[in-house]
């Protein structure tokens, strides 16, 4: 019997990607709102959030 290693889950990877992207969008929107321009903060959060979500997903599932 071979030891069972970690399994890759598309649902888990998608959840990590969407979660971190959404978190960055929310933080960007809050910062934009605090600085007086909600739309720019929302857009900046999305631009930053997509690569952050991808990077976190890659780091989390790199060896799977």
């Amino acid at each position: 019997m071979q030891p069972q290693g970690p399994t890759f889950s598309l649902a888990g990877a998608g959840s990590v990607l969407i979660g971190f992207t959404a978190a960055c969008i929310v933080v960007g929107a809050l910062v934009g709102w605090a600085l007086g321009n909600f739309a720019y903060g929302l857009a900046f959060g999305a631009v930053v959030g997509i690569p952050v979500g991808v990077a976190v997903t890659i780091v989390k599932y790199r060896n799977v």
Side-chain angles (χ1 to χ4, degrees), residues 3-63:
Q4 188 175 11
T7 59
F8 179 71
S9 168
L10 286 177
S15 297
V16 170
L17 176 65
I18 291 170
F20 274 90
T21 303
C24 288
I25 291 171
V26 168
V27 169
L30 290 174
V31 170
W33 174 66
L35 296 177
N37 200 333
F38 179 78
Y40 282 144
L42 191 69
F44 182 74
V47 168
V48 170
I50 292 170
V52 167
V54 171
V56 170
T57 305
I58 289 171
V59 168
K60 181 168 176 59
Y61 290 101
R62 179 182 317 180
N63 296 326

